[in-house]
Amino acid sequence: MLRLETQDKDSMQLTDHEQAMYDGRDGPAIQKAMDLLVRYGEALGAERLVETNNVCATITATTPFQRDIALKGGGMDAVFSEFSLDSQDVVKIPKFKTFTSHLQLGFDPNQPEKFGLSEEIVQFYNKSEKHVAGLGAQIMNTCTPYQVGNVPTRGEHCAWMESSAVVYCNSVLGGRTNTEGRESCGAAMLTGRIPDWGYHRDEPRRATHVIELDIEVESVQDWGLLGYFMGDLVQERVPVVYSRRGIGKVPNLPRLKHFGAAASSSGGVEMYHIAGVTPEALTLEQALGGNQPVEIFRYGEAERRATYEKINATGKDAEIQYVMLGCPHYTIEQIWEAAQLIEGRKVHENCELWIFTPRVIKSLADRNGYTEIIEKAGGIIMSDSCSAMSRAVPKGTKTVALDSAKQAHYLPAILGVEAWFGTTAQCIDAACTGRWNGGYE
Ligand code: F3S
């Protein structure tokens, strides 16, 4: 068994319990996890660790490379050691200490043919899923864990991967997380600790930039546009959205989901405030925490239109072969809306419609009859992944239609396709006509 030297307490303060884990009291896997967290924390300048009981991460094995590692000996422990603890030594992985939710994968194992998956990989994945569920992971398989049972409370320290989930956790729920990696999350699952830096602390959460609204922001598309505009300008800084007249209609979950995802794609926004709406910004002053803003940007009709044109820059051909909805994963409300829009219509023979949602919401859609309506029209509801994650689109796709600014940002860059971004109604219409008839609304 590896034993590490007692660490220098001047660099990072550990509690007695943490020190004992670090010294190997709880076995080699936890010792390795603590070693990783201490090295990671010191590199970040953290002085201590914080307790967490909320991790969201990718854990399962999904690739032929990971399968080869498992087959070489060591099985799933070898995969976890290598990919979730950054350890070439294979250590036996104990059950997780921390409430852990599984994020999305690179495919939907229930639709192998759509993702070009071999039977072998599906079987290997299923084995891996069973294994990590046995360790204590919740198989939510979504980028929106906050929709399906993992809803951090204000001030709760978390260790989450996935930028669109992180920005939602920090900004909308008031949870506290940085954008972690697979390894730091792996270590957090085993120890219940994560370095205390960045968005775990008060000061970095304060707004630095103000986005002042000159127009009303209402629809899901409106919020996607504003998020894209904001991320592009502020990059990794913390913006506060503010309107002198007050934010009109309070944005709901789908709107804030699209807003944050867009801001974390065009920039790297991990935390924002909306004055009068989000929990740490009852007022503009509270969001700024007594600081002066570094810069104030205005958002009016000209900025909205320019953002729309920027997101639609790759859209040229009106012929559409693929419509993808569900980035971030659709809520039940959005599936309900899509079902209403498509009921009685048919997806065009030259086009496919794929909708992505968490597994749990898919079963609700099944029970509510929405899946049947969508399938009757020729669309499919999938889970666990999306086209950007899986790099999978229907064969022959040259042009896609999307209602997500995030997916419109990534898909052309990842797959070289053209993308049109519009409202859900415009996307459903494109699926049924095989043409993009949308325009600036
Ligand atoms: Fe989720 Fe894929 Fe979008 S993982 S946030 S649906 S890029």
Side-chain angles (χ1 to χ4, degrees):
M1 182 194 299
L2 270 177
R3 276 197 81 81
L4 301 167
E5 295 295 323
T6 297
Q7 63 127 58
D8 174 9
K9 285 206 173 197
D10 289 341
S11 41
M12 190 184 267
Q13 299 294 316
L14 297 183
T15 63
D16 290 347
H17 174 62
E18 289 163 354
Q19 185 70 51
M21 290 195 284
Y22 184 87
D23 290 338
R25 179 195 67 193
D26 297 342
I30 288 170
Q31 187 179 33
K32 278 197 179 292
M34 281 300 292
D35 174 53
L36 188 150
L37 290 173
V38 167
R39 285 186 288 122
Y40 171 50
E42 286 179 353
L44 296 166
E47 290 176 4
R48 61 185 70 81
L49 302 171
V50 281
E51 284 187 42
T52 177
N53 184 36
N54 193 327
V55 179
C56 277
T58 305
I59 320 164
T60 44
T62 55
T63 64
F65 180 55
Q66 289 171 325
R67 184 193 50 197
D68 293 347
I69 287 186
L71 291 176
K72 257 199 240 153
M76 297 302 172
D77 282 344
V79 177
F80 194 99
S81 300
E82 170 99 29
F83 292 93
S84 297
L85 281 182
D86 192 28
S87 165
Q88 303 272 312
D89 302 325
V90 178
V91 284
K92 171 99 188 101
I93 306 303
K95 287 194 189 275
F96 302 152
K97 275 198 181 128
T98 311
F99 176 62
T100 295
S101 308
H102 203 292
L103 288 170
Q104 71 277 6
L105 330 168
F107 49 74
D108 176 354
N110 298 312
Q111 303 275 354
E113 66 296 344
K114 299 283 178 212
F115 298 86
L117 285 180
S118 68
E119 183 54 32
E120 247 184 324
I121 283 293
V122 175
Q123 277 177 13
F124 177 62
Y125 169 74
N126 287 337
K127 199 170 149 194
S128 165
E129 180 185 297
K130 202 168 166 197
H131 178 77
V132 301
L135 291 176
Q138 314 303 318
I139 307 299
M140 292 178 180
N141 292 15
T142 177
C143 49
T144 59
Y146 49 85
Q147 287 203 74
V148 290
N150 189 343
V151 191
T153 48
R154 184 174 173 189
E156 182 177 350
H157 292 286
C158 305
W160 283 22
M161 293 169 65
E162 169 50 42
S163 60
S164 70
V166 164
V167 70
Y168 195 94
C169 172
N170 278 323
S171 317
V172 181
L173 304 173
R176 295 187 169 217
T177 183
N178 297 300
T179 305
E180 296 295 344
R182 183 166 176 154
E183 299 83 357
S184 54
C185 283
M189 287 166 213
L190 296 178
T191 60
R193 298 292 187 280
I194 199 75
D196 182 19
W197 74 288
Y199 295 113
H200 291 285
R201 303 189 68 79
D202 291 339
E203 187 57 32
R205 299 176 69 83
R206 298 197 169 123
T208 54
H209 291 66
V210 176
I211 310 288
E212 187 163 347
L213 302 183
D214 291 338
I215 51 174
E216 298 275 316
V217 180
E218 283 200 1
S219 65
V220 170
Q221 188 192 33
D222 280 346
W223 283 98
L225 287 166
L226 176 61
Y228 201 86
F229 167 83
M230 183 175 86
D232 205 16
L233 285 176
V234 308
Q235 293 296 306
E236 279 96 32
R237 271 75 60 88
V238 181
V240 51
V241 175
Y242 166 74
S243 169
R244 280 171 202 275
R245 291 167 299 182
I247 302 289
K249 203 169 161 190
V250 173
N252 64 358
L253 191 159
R255 285 163 176 76
L256 294 176
K257 171 171 74 81
H258 283 254
F259 174 61
S264 64
S265 322
S266 58
V269 175
E270 293 173 66
M271 166 107 207
Y272 64 78
H273 304 276
I274 303 175
V277 175
T278 54
E280 292 168 45
L282 295 179
T283 60
L284 176 65
E285 293 67 34
Q286 188 188 24
L288 289 162
N291 301 329
Q292 283 302 311
V294 176
E295 219 167 339
I296 300 174
F297 299 105
R298 302 195 80 87
Y299 182 75
E301 189 48 44
E303 288 76 16
R304 185 183 187 275
R305 178 147 210 145
T307 307
Y308 175 85
E309 275 157 17
K310 193 166 190 175
I311 302 174
N312 275 297
T314 64
K316 305 267 181 296
D317 194 347
E319 302 284 312
I320 304 285
Q321 295 80 38
Y322 176 38
V323 176
M324 192 211 116
L325 305 176
C327 171
H329 283 175
Y330 251 19
T331 64
I332 192 65
E333 181 186 351
Q334 290 177 296
I335 296 181
W336 173 49
E337 185 191 354
Q340 290 178 84
L341 287 165
I342 209 163
E343 190 162 21
R345 302 181 77 184
K346 284 269 176 239
V347 172
H348 192 270
E349 56 185 0
N350 297 334
C351 193
E352 290 201 33
L353 169 66
W354 294 0
I355 300 177
F356 291 88
T357 194
R359 285 183 186 193
V360 172
I361 291 186
K362 162 85 169 54
S363 27
L364 186 54
D366 293 350
R367 291 189 84 95
N368 285 353
Y370 306 148
T371 308
E372 197 184 333
I373 294 171
I374 289 163
E375 285 181 356
K376 214 164 158 190
I380 308 174
I381 302 185
M382 295 198 244
S383 64
D384 293 36
S385 192
C386 72
S387 286
M389 280 302 295
S390 62
R391 297 166 185 258
V393 291
K395 224 168 149 205
T397 297
K398 292 199 184 95
T399 308
V400 302
L402 308 156
D403 66 355
S404 160
K406 173 173 179 173
Q407 196 76 196
H409 178 86
Y410 285 120
L411 222 46
I414 293 172
L415 297 175
V417 293
E418 292 180 18
W420 291 105
F421 164 71
T423 64
T424 307
Q426 288 173 340
C427 289
I428 293 288
D429 189 62
C432 296
T433 58
R435 288 190 64 78
W436 183 250
N437 301 311
Y440 184 68
E441 283 185 1

